[in-house]
Amino acid sequence: MPLYALICRDKPGHLDTRTANRQAHLDYVAKTGVVTLAGPFLDDAGAMCGSLVVIDVADKAAAEGWAANDPYARAGLFEDVTIQAWKRVVG
């Protein structure tokens, strides 16, 4: 079964939205227990500007549901989100 990679790009100028919802996002990650790898993308200045989240769920519909319920998404942080099936080969 593949994993699913969520590639999330923040709306420009929304770092405050990210920081205000960071703890709720981390709580959601812990509560759902499906995240195998995650972390923020950084811009050239080193500020968070997006996210890469790899989740282990049954199918793309479940990945879409997880992404839609992420507190970051619910707060309107993301400009766009791509969900792609992914196969771990190394690591």
Side-chain angles (χ1 to χ4, degrees), residues 26-79:
L26 295 173
D27 292 346
Y28 179 67
V29 166
K31 181 179 105 180
T32 59
V34 299
V35 175
T36 64
L37 176 74
F41 290 118
L42 304 176
D43 65 17
D44 291 339
M48 295 179 288
C49 63
S51 299
L52 171 64
V53 182
V54 178
I55 59 176
D56 188 354
V57 294
D59 54 32
K60 189 169 184 178
E64 291 167 345
W66 190 94
N69 286 302
D70 180 348
Y72 280 162
R74 295 172 67 87
L77 174 61
F78 299 130
E79 182 172 65

